[in-house]
């Protein structure tokens, strides 16, 4: 039992939040001092963030290949370095990434990478939720000659194994997987009732090339071949036409929007206002730290709001409140997770923001402050699945300094060869 007393809520009221096991059981006046009591004075309570697309261990590549064209970046700075990835490197890269996420208030993420068992170990150690998919394409991965088989093995091993780890099916993209591989992935995802997570129409080039080869656009192909469903979580989705947006809406596809990565790679601007208008569930994500370069969802919220305002020339294009929902409850909804709201019966995945800081004062509108004036470093305390995993800015389950040192060493070795 955890009780957070007299804590500020986003509506300006002060309440007590009671957590039993892994669920919020009361938000209101009720008091219970029988377990751990946290003083909520000068703290704001929020649901913690859900990051719906990343490649966690790519923290190891952070800052090693910036400001390059996409293809040159992949061919010279990512793929050769990833060849040197090992299980140990994936473990420390994931510890580093998970630490950064908790420090900035994220407790749940969707991942596509390699050595998932090592990633799972790191994620469980830090104590957050990982929806983990072993990346699949039609050539060998850093981990395996047969990425599909490796992914299926992980799915079988981790189905219902852990409270915090949920396997997902994660073929990389239509342009790196054959139709046959995509069908095999669909079969397994249906058999195990998994989220089907993939990159969709990220660059104009990939869409043009697909259309030239197949005579249809990527989303048309996915629609016509019945890949799309409410379990389909599509990352990026920048180059969609009106008909393709309608197809996503009809099939209740979930979209993961990665504005900072899209801007950094100059991939384009996703048609967020049009998608929202059609009722599509759109969540937010960082993408990997190699193309962001941080895993801070607070930063992503602000950039998302600013990007769509300047792109449409309309300051009302997206509000702070809408962006905040994308980073919390919409992310949880995309995964079928009862989280993302500070409400009775919801999972106790929450965070406390320190209000005793210069960029957090005054309090005219708390959601506006969170989106536009605060940063990840304002997060003070984080609870995931009913357990305190960070208190007063210190992670509970890990020796932070040791991880920073070891991850730094491994990253340096990998990048310098
Ligand atoms: Zn990605």
């Amino acid at each position: 039992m955890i009780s957070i007393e007299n804590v500020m809520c986003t509506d300006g009221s002060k309440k007590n939040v009671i957590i039993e096991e892994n669920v919020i059981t009361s938000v209101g006046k009720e008091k219970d001092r029988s377990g751990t009591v946290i003083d909520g004075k000068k703290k704001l309570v929020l649901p913690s963030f859900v990051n719906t697309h990343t490649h966690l261990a790519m923290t190891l590549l952070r800052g090693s290949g910036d400001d390059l064209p996409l293809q040159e970046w992949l061919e010279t700075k990512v793929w050769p370095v990833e060849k040197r990835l090992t299980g140990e490197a994936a473990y420390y890269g994931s510890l580093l990434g998970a630490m950064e996420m908790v420090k900035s208030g994220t407790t749940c993420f969707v991942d596509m990478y390699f050595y998932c068992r090592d990633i799972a170990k790191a994620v469980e150690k830090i104590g957050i939720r990982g929806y983990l998919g072993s990346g699949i394409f039609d050539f060998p991965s850093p981990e395996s000659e047969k990425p599909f088989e490796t992914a299926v093995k992980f799915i079988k091993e981790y189905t219902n194994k852990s409270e915090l780890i949920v396997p997902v099916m994660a073929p990389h993209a239509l342009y790196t997987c054959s139709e046959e591989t995509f069908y095999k992935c669909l079969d397994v995802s249906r058999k195990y009732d998994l989220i089907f997570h993939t990159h969709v129409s990220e660059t104009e080039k990939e869409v043009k090339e697909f259309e030239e080869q197949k005579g249809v656009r990527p989303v048309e192909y996915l629609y016509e071949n019945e890949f799309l469903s409410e379990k389909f979580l599509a990352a990026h989705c920048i180059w969609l036409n009106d008909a393709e947006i309608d197809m996503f809406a009809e099939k209740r596809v979930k979209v993961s929007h990665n504005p900072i990565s899209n801007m950094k790679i100059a991939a384009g601007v996703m048609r967020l206002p049009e998608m929202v208008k059609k009722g599509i569930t759109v969540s937010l994500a960082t993408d990997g730290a190699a193309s962001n370069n941080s895993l801070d969802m607070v930063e992503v919220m602000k950039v998302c709001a600013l990007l769509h305002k300047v792109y449409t020339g309309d300051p009302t294009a997206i509000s702070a409140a809408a962006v905040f929902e994308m980073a919390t409850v919409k992310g949880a909804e995309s995964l079928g997770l009862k989280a993302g709201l500070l409400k009775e019966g919801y999972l106790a995945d929450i965070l406390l923001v320190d209000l005793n800081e210069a960029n957090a004062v005054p309090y005219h509108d708390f959601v506006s402050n969170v989106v536009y004036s605060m940063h990840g470093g304002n997060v003070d305390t984080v609870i995931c699945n009913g357990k305190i995993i960070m208190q007063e800015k210190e992670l509970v389950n890990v020796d932070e300094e040791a991880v920073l040192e070891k991850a730094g060493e491994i990253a340096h070795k990998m990048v310098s060869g």
Side-chain angles (χ1 to χ4, degrees):
M1 153 103 57
I2 300 171
S3 167
I4 308 164
E5 291 191 344
N6 212 21
V7 70
M8 188 70 84
C9 298
T10 49
D11 64 2
S13 65
K14 284 189 181 169
K15 291 185 176 135
N16 303 323
V17 178
I18 298 174
I19 295 164
E20 285 176 66
E21 306 267 325
N22 62 348
V23 173
I24 299 166
T25 53
S26 168
V27 181
K29 289 197 170 129
E30 195 185 319
K31 265 193 178 182
D32 190 327
R33 316 203 94 202
S34 62
T36 306
V37 178
I38 297 175
D39 181 5
K41 195 173 164 222
K42 300 241 174 199
K43 303 273 194 297
L44 172 71
V45 65
L46 301 173
S48 49
F49 305 118
V50 179
N51 181 350
T52 53
H53 178 69
T54 189
H55 311 279
L56 190 60
M58 282 186 101
T59 47
L60 298 170
L61 275 64
R62 183 190 343 253
S64 71
D66 297 327
D67 314 323
L68 290 171
L70 178 64
Q71 208 56 28
E72 187 185 340
W73 172 64
L74 288 171
E75 283 171 12
T76 65
K77 301 292 180 182
V78 178
W79 293 335
V81 175
E82 281 185 336
K83 279 193 184 140
R84 296 191 277 269
L85 187 75
T86 60
E88 190 198 25
Y91 176 74
Y92 279 98
S94 299
L95 274 182
L96 178 65
M99 267 172 58
E100 186 186 354
M101 286 201 288
V102 175
K103 292 249 164 190
S104 48
T106 296
T107 59
C108 180
F109 71 105
V110 181
D111 200 55
M112 178 195 293
Y113 213 53
F114 316 109
Y115 295 101
C116 278
R117 295 156 87 225
D118 298 283
I119 300 170
K121 267 182 226 154
V123 171
E124 286 186 298
K125 182 168 174 66
I126 301 286
I128 59 176
R129 297 180 199 281
Y131 282 68
L132 308 184
S134 190
I136 296 169
F137 26 63
D138 284 342
F139 37 89
S141 80
E143 180 184 6
S144 158
E145 289 291 311
K146 294 182 171 174
F148 174 77
E149 281 75 7
T150 302
V152 173
K153 207 172 147 196
F154 175 74
I155 289 163
K156 285 182 178 165
E157 190 181 333
Y158 269 86
T159 296
N160 300 324
K161 181 181 174 182
S162 151
E163 239 183 304
L164 296 174
I165 305 296
V166 180
V168 303
M169 179 53 81
H172 174 261
L174 272 174
Y175 63 91
T176 46
C177 295
S178 64
E179 289 184 50
E180 191 198 343
T181 302
F182 250 61
Y183 274 113
K184 286 196 313 195
C185 290
L186 184 65
D187 280 348
V188 175
S189 73
R190 282 182 177 156
K191 185 173 169 198
Y192 290 90
D193 197 25
L194 308 174
I195 304 272
F196 191 104
H197 183 46
T198 188
H199 297 99
V200 176
S201 301
E202 180 177 4
T203 65
E204 191 175 20
K205 181 171 165 273
E206 91 193 47
V207 174
K208 273 191 181 156
E209 284 176 0
F210 190 88
E211 209 174 354
E212 274 163 25
Q213 283 168 19
K214 311 268 181 192
V216 285
R217 294 169 64 84
V219 172
E220 285 171 346
Y221 171 83
L222 293 168
Y223 178 81
E224 283 166 10
N225 292 284
E226 308 212 341
F227 282 97
L228 303 182
S229 73
E230 58 187 9
K231 300 285 265 189
F232 196 98
L233 175 62
H236 302 307
C237 312
I238 296 168
W239 297 93
L240 266 56
N241 63 23
D242 290 347
E244 289 177 305
I245 291 177
D246 285 340
M247 289 171 194
F248 267 18
E250 182 196 322
K251 295 292 181 183
R252 298 167 70 199
V253 166
K254 308 297 190 288
V255 169
S256 172
H257 180 31
N258 296 245
I260 294 182
S261 170
N262 299 160
M263 290 167 80
K264 186 156 181 271
I265 293 173
V269 180
M270 198 189 82
R271 300 173 64 193
L272 177 65
E274 287 95 329
M275 289 191 191
V276 171
K277 214 175 271 169
K278 294 279 180 180
I280 296 173
T281 300
V282 183
S283 57
L284 278 182
T286 56
D287 207 353
S291 60
N292 184 297
N293 292 359
S294 86
L295 301 174
D296 183 343
M297 288 288 286
V298 182
E299 199 178 74
V300 173
M301 286 194 290
K302 179 167 181 172
V303 170
C304 176
L306 301 186
L307 171 63
H308 294 287
K309 289 172 196 294
V310 73
Y311 185 65
T312 57
D314 176 6
T316 69
I318 182 106
S319 67
V323 171
F324 180 72
E325 277 191 358
M326 288 169 69
T328 52
V329 68
K330 299 283 181 192
E333 261 176 48
S334 302
L335 304 173
L337 194 68
K338 199 173 177 187
L341 289 177
L342 194 74
K343 218 170 158 181
E344 265 177 50
Y346 276 70
L347 284 168
D349 292 6
I350 60 180
L351 63 88
L352 301 181
V353 171
D354 188 358
L355 292 177
N356 202 24
E357 293 197 30
N359 65 342
V361 176
Y363 321 141
H364 299 305
D365 180 332
F366 287 105
V367 173
S368 159
N369 280 10
V370 170
V371 173
Y372 291 131
S373 78
M374 294 190 194
H375 50 74
N378 289 95
V379 175
D380 179 88
T381 294
V382 177
I383 294 172
C384 179
N385 205 35
K387 295 198 172 67
I388 299 170
I389 57 170
M390 182 168 87
Q391 195 156 21
E392 291 170 14
K393 301 194 177 180
E394 293 234 352
L395 285 158
V396 173
N397 301 323
V398 72
D399 178 346
E400 293 183 40
E401 228 167 279
V403 173
L404 298 183
E405 201 175 316
K406 182 82 180 171
E409 245 171 55
I410 288 175
H412 188 71
K413 241 193 246 166
M414 256 178 76
V415 171
S416 62

